[in-house]
Amino acid sequence: MATKKLFNKIGVNIIAWVLSIILITPLVLIVINSLKTSQAAAEMSLRLPQAIQWDNFKTVIERGKLGVTFLNSLTYSAFSVILCTLTSAMAAFVLSRNRTKWNKLVYFVIVLGMAMPINFIALMKVMQFLDIINTRVGIILLYAAIQTPFNVFLIYSFVGKIPREIDEAAIIDGCSPLQLFFSIIIPLIKPVLVTVMVLTFLNTWNEYILPLYFLGSSDKWPMTLAVYNFFGMYFRDWNLVCADIVLTSLPVVIVYLLGQKYIVSGMTAGAVKG
Amino acid sequence: MSKSKHYPAYFLIGTLLLYVVLYLLPGLIGIGYSFTDWSAFSDKVNFLGYDHMFDNYIKAFSDVKYFGYLGNTLLFTFVTTIVKNVLGLALAVLLTRQVKLLNFHRAVMYIPAVLSALIVGMIFKSILHPADGLLNSTLKIFGIKGVKWLTDPKIAFWSVMGVDIWKGMGYIMTIFIAGIMSISPTYYEAAEIDGAGGWQKFRAITLPMLAPTMTVTTVLNVIYGLRVFDMVYALTNGGPGYVTEVLYTGIYKEFGYGKYAMGTTLSSIMFVFMAIIGYFLIRAMNRNEVEE
């Protein structure tokens, strides 16, 4: 019995390692090849580079215009995070606290958006009408809009766990609704706000359908779209493509490693009770 | 104490403006446009007339090309949902056991899920390259002749689904891990006293206790599958021919061709379909909240 248990334990560990290696290999492949010369990277193998080519990164930053696209991505992510978190939190707070028939319907319709597809073609018409097509403001508003349903959903259920007595005490002390929200509620729902901010940041950084439809001029492109375009131009130089991929993914991986706890709690919310 | 006074409606303005104008409204006017001849080639948009108002819809369901998009989208959704659930659950069971460096393994298996699908697509374009991609060169070492993963019409769509599963199963695994960890250990202890083996414990405790979690992962997978765009666009862009074309990539092509009415018709079909699915999603998620 004891030996069988030991075997089981070793077996489980081996399986875990094999699976982890299978899952990580494609990413290792990219990192290795980003450090090779163009000829060495042509076969895209896992062989280690003979001499590490740090220059590849310099080359892609220049040729891929990574400076501009990085700032674009950062702008879109930062502003949509601020805008969407603020509006979603305010809405979720009121919808959760004041569950009138009308508010329940509003909540339902908003949350339904988690499943609804966006009609991009009709959206183009709306954007044209508002004169925000092919603008940075337009794309930020869109990013905030598409993430509203999930964010409202997350914050709504979190607000429900905050005792209502806290509100009542603040109101008796003479807090206005805005004071109540900003100085009492926001500090209390900080954990879910961090989750929302991390997820909104990652989603905005990774998304590229909206710029594909609505940002015609390449000087406004975010990093993801630029890397794809770069791939089209330099498909013979896999070392450069890999270096570009590494640089584009780096912010995402850093945010993921820093915010892992918050991401997991957000992504599993609603799926698991308690 | 008047609730509306302390929880004023103006708190909703920002969210409602964003959501209604940029999300809901396009969906609704899109349905309106699906009854027209809207295209990039004419400034005028004409109603198709009462006799022909459903022409775009008839075309969507009868034209082999468009019907193929629908079929592919459903096949993609069906296959990826099942495989991600099965593999995600298997990984979750594995990584809730006594494995060393548990958090390392969990983090590694989740990483593909945080990368952009476009980037994952590019990575796999290299790996699946028929001549010098990593997969075929590895197969060659074992004496197996590789195939044209992304350009052989019989295989391409399965390759796309495979890559999507590679990227997505870590996410599903994470949800299942949270589900398994919320099962009280007393059930397993009681089963052990009764002499239950690993498989029996899985079938009699883990699986039934995970039913609500599985509802949610299934709904999430279905919603994702029906709306898939990124992975297909990056890997094959619908090709070869139209064999890997799904609804969202098809809509993007119609947009590119300037056939706006047809694009908006395909979108509207999804809109109605997803509204029904969304209803079940909310019910499934609310049930979890009520049980809390």
Side-chain angles (χ1 to χ4, degrees), chain B residues 175-206:
Chain B
I175 297 176
F176 275 128
I177 286 177
I180 291 174
M181 305 244 279
S182 72
I183 300 174
S184 164
T186 51
Y187 291 109
Y188 293 106
E189 284 156 17
E192 256 164 50
I193 291 168
D194 292 341
W199 174 246
Q200 279 172 312
K201 277 189 277 184
F202 175 75
R203 275 210 47 192
I205 303 169
T206 314

Side-chain angles (χ1 to χ4, degrees), chain A residues 55-66 69 218 221-248, chain B residues 118 122:
Chain A
D55 278 1
N56 288 345
F57 292 100
K58 223 175 95 191
T59 314
V60 281
I61 290 172
E62 280 163 15
R63 283 200 232 163
K65 293 182 197 145
L66 287 197
T69 57
S218 62
W221 281 354
M223 276 186 115
T224 35
L225 201 56
V227 71
Y228 190 70
N229 195 48
F230 187 85
F231 173 67
M233 279 156 60
Y234 291 90
F235 60 95
R236 283 175 217 284
D237 299 313
W238 267 103
N239 57 336
L240 298 182
V241 172
C242 290
D244 201 339
I245 289 176
V246 169
L247 290 176
T248 306
Chain B
L118 192 68
M122 285 161 56

Side-chain angles (χ1 to χ4, degrees), chain B residues 89-110:
Chain B
L89 181 59
L91 289 177
V93 169
L94 178 73
L95 292 189
T96 44
R97 298 180 61 164
Q98 284 174 311
V99 176
K100 289 218 167 92
L101 296 170
L102 200 62
N103 286 328
F104 164 79
H105 287 299
R106 285 184 189 170
V108 164
M109 291 183 194
Y110 191 76

Side-chain angles (χ1 to χ4, degrees), chain A residues 20 87 109 113 116 167 206 267, chain B residues 7 19 23 105 110 114 227:
Chain A
S20 278
T87 54
V109 173
M116 299 299 256
D167 299 19
N206 283 338
M267 292 217 156
Chain B
Y7 305 116
Y19 181 70
Y23 210 126
H105 287 299
Y110 191 76
V114 294
R227 298 201 290 192

Side-chain angles (χ1 to χ4, degrees), chain A residues 45-261:
Chain A
S45 70
L46 283 166
R47 216 165 291 142
L48 293 172
Q50 284 170 328
I52 292 183
Q53 308 287 324
W54 293 111
D55 278 1
N56 288 345
F57 292 100
K58 223 175 95 191
T59 314
V60 281
I61 290 172
E62 280 163 15
R63 283 200 232 163
K65 293 182 197 145
L66 287 197
V68 182
T69 57
F70 175 79
L71 282 180
N72 284 340
S73 282
L74 200 62
T75 311
Y76 303 152
S77 300
F79 281 101
S80 58
V81 164
I82 295 168
L83 179 64
C84 192
T85 310
L86 183 67
T87 54
S88 300
M90 290 178 86
F93 168 61
V94 165
L95 292 175
S96 171
R97 282 297 198 240
N98 189 14
R99 299 193 187 187
T100 58
K101 214 172 174 183
W102 167 245
N103 277 354
K104 275 185 190 162
L105 179 72
V106 170
Y107 176 68
F108 179 81
V109 173
I110 291 176
V111 173
L112 198 60
M114 286 199 283
M116 299 299 256
I118 303 167
N119 189 328
F120 292 105
I121 299 176
L123 180 56
M124 180 184 72
K125 202 82 181 162
V126 174
M127 304 264 297
Q128 276 170 349
F129 180 77
L130 297 172
D131 208 16
I132 51 171
I133 201 159
N134 202 12
T135 64
R136 291 197 166 87
V137 174
I139 212 84
I140 290 166
L141 291 175
L142 279 184
Y143 277 128
I146 61 165
Q147 297 179 83
T148 291
F150 188 63
N151 290 349
V152 169
F153 167 77
L154 276 188
I155 302 170
Y156 180 91
S157 49
F158 200 92
V159 170
K161 291 176 192 154
I162 307 281
R164 204 178 278 267
E165 286 76 20
I166 291 173
D167 299 19
E168 281 158 17
I171 291 165
I172 290 167
D173 286 348
C175 269
S176 72
L178 284 171
Q179 278 172 327
L180 168 65
F181 178 73
F182 282 104
S183 51
I184 312 280
I185 298 299
I186 288 227
L188 289 172
I189 59 170
K190 222 162 147 192
V192 76
L193 292 184
V194 175
T195 301
V196 162
M197 290 168 90
V198 171
L199 289 178
T200 309
F201 181 88
L202 288 180
N203 289 338
T204 308
W205 197 278
N206 283 338
E207 214 275 348
Y208 69 95
I209 308 180
L210 292 172
L212 201 60
Y213 271 96
F214 302 113
L215 285 181
S217 41
S218 62
D219 58 315
K220 295 190 186 107
W221 281 354
M223 276 186 115
T224 35
L225 201 56
V227 71
Y228 190 70
N229 195 48
F230 187 85
F231 173 67
M233 279 156 60
Y234 291 90
F235 60 95
R236 283 175 217 284
D237 299 313
W238 267 103
N239 57 336
L240 298 182
V241 172
C242 290
D244 201 339
I245 289 176
V246 169
L247 290 176
T248 306
S249 306
L250 210 55
V252 170
V253 173
I254 291 171
V255 170
Y256 162 64
L257 292 176
L258 292 178
Q260 202 185 353
K261 192 177 83 186

